[in-house]
Amino acid sequence: MLHFIQTLISGLSLGSIYALIALGYTMVYGIAKMLNFAHGDVIMIGAYAGIVTVMSLGLPPVIAIILSIVICALLGMLIEFLAYKPLRSAPSLSVLITAIGVSYFLQNIALLIFGSQQRAYPTMADFPTYNIGGIQIDGITILTLAVTAVIMIALTLFINKTKLGKAMRAVSEDKAAASLMGISVNRTITMTFAIGSALAAFASIFYGMTYVYIKPTTGAMPGIKAFTAAVFGGIGSIPGAMLGGILLGLIEQFSKTYISTLWADAIVFGVLVVVLVVKPTGLLGKQMSEKV
């Protein structure tokens, strides 16, 4: 029983990181209807920003966190301006190929600057490990879950209650109609990318503190799995991203513990296929009707 509970906690820890990354994915897709496959690599850049700030410049961790958020937000805006804005009216396949190209571009830039060797992420704070009845619970696990839940609630309130959030919903519904109502579509989409990339910075911080070692390809697989989590929960749904991330982490961890580490990824993607066959919009996704 203790082994089961310990696996459950490990799955929640992994799932909360997937959920945090998935929130950025679903934010951009829900508003701009673009799949930003470079999102995982923005996380990698955010992690390196934290490493350089603390390890090379010797600045306090709080400065590293702020700089990571600022750098990732600016990078997201730059990527949107240079790579995605010119393709606003292009076919989805063109946007997809561009996103993959941006991903490899960021990986190779990191490779040129930092090399292929892994670098240790700095300790931003000391988190205690709690022992409850023989069950080990890391403080970072509790904090990651709490921060992910708070960000999900804050994003939901932001989208539903603020002026910019309402503009984002209008752009998501109909860009042309939103423009006629006086909403700046370009500025709204740029802000969406900035927010989504800022969320990538948060993900980089918790990923770095949990898994420690960072390399240029660090964001690739977590990014793919977080995208899977967003689709699993219902891409475009903020609570769906949270739910999908947590469930994906649990499925992966239980698969590794009770079946095989070699089969874990296959099982994760197999479950996704089954869910999409049964419910194509994902667990919390809604069927959208298109007027013609």
Side-chain angles (χ1 to χ4, degrees):
M1 186 63 182
L2 289 178
H3 188 241
F4 176 86
I5 296 174
Q6 192 68 62
T7 303
L8 179 67
I9 292 169
S10 298
L12 288 173
S13 176
L14 179 62
S16 60
I17 291 175
Y18 286 157
L20 195 52
I21 302 171
L23 285 171
Y25 264 119
T26 209
M27 179 79 182
V28 170
Y29 181 82
I31 307 302
K33 296 294 182 289
M34 291 181 178
L35 293 175
N36 181 22
F37 278 114
H39 188 71
D41 301 289
V42 175
I43 292 169
M44 175 267 296
I45 296 295
Y48 273 121
I51 291 172
V52 170
T53 304
V54 175
M55 307 298 285
S56 300
L57 301 180
L59 296 175
V62 66
I63 301 297
I65 292 171
I66 293 170
L67 279 179
S68 292
I69 294 170
V70 171
I71 288 170
C72 286
L74 291 175
L75 179 60
M77 294 168 69
L78 183 64
I79 290 171
E80 191 276 331
F81 179 76
L82 294 178
Y84 298 141
K85 187 177 179 181
L87 301 175
R88 200 66 58 77
S89 302
S92 299
L93 183 59
S94 300
V95 179
L96 178 62
I97 293 171
T98 301
I100 294 171
V102 171
S103 173
Y104 281 112
F105 176 79
L106 292 177
Q107 287 180 29
N108 281 278
I109 287 292
L111 187 63
L112 288 171
I113 296 173
F114 301 106
S116 59
Q117 296 297 319
Q118 296 184 131
R119 298 186 64 175
Y121 193 79
T123 302
M124 295 296 183
D126 293 323
F127 297 97
T129 298
Y130 301 97
N131 192 320
I132 304 173
I135 300 168
Q136 301 287 329
I137 305 176
D138 291 330
I140 187 64
T141 297
I142 298 171
L143 182 62
T144 306
L145 276 168
V147 168
T148 304
V150 168
I151 288 176
M152 182 201 72
I153 294 168
L155 275 179
T156 303
L157 292 174
F158 172 78
I159 293 296
N160 291 322
K161 302 295 183 181
T162 67
K163 184 177 180 180
L164 179 57
K166 291 175 182 177
M168 288 177 175
R169 283 194 292 151
V171 170
S172 175
E173 281 291 326
D174 192 323
K175 292 182 179 64
S179 180
L180 291 173
M181 295 298 292
I183 295 171
S184 174
V185 173
N186 288 331
R187 186 176 63 185
T188 302
I189 292 177
T190 299
M191 289 304 299
T192 301
F193 270 83
I195 293 170
S197 297
L199 292 177
F202 281 102
S204 75
I205 294 163
F206 287 102
Y207 184 92
M209 289 192 293
T210 303
Y211 296 103
V212 183
Y213 292 104
I214 304 298
K215 58 183 179 179
T217 56
T218 287
M221 186 52 72
I224 291 172
K225 289 185 177 178
F227 171 68
T228 302
V231 175
F232 190 17
I235 188 107
S237 168
I238 292 173
M242 176 85 176
L243 176 62
I246 296 296
L247 289 178
L248 200 76
L250 289 172
I251 292 168
E252 181 176 335
Q253 195 62 46
F254 275 104
S255 299
K256 287 179 178 177
T257 302
Y258 291 104
I259 301 175
S260 169
T261 55
L262 298 176
W263 282 92
D265 289 346
I267 292 170
V268 164
F269 291 114
V271 170
L272 172 68
V273 170
V274 171
V275 169
L276 293 181
V277 167
V278 176
K279 196 173 189 297
T281 56
L283 296 175
L284 299 183
K286 296 179 181 179
Q287 187 70 43
M288 300 296 291
S289 58
E290 185 174 346
K291 296 180 180 180
V292 294

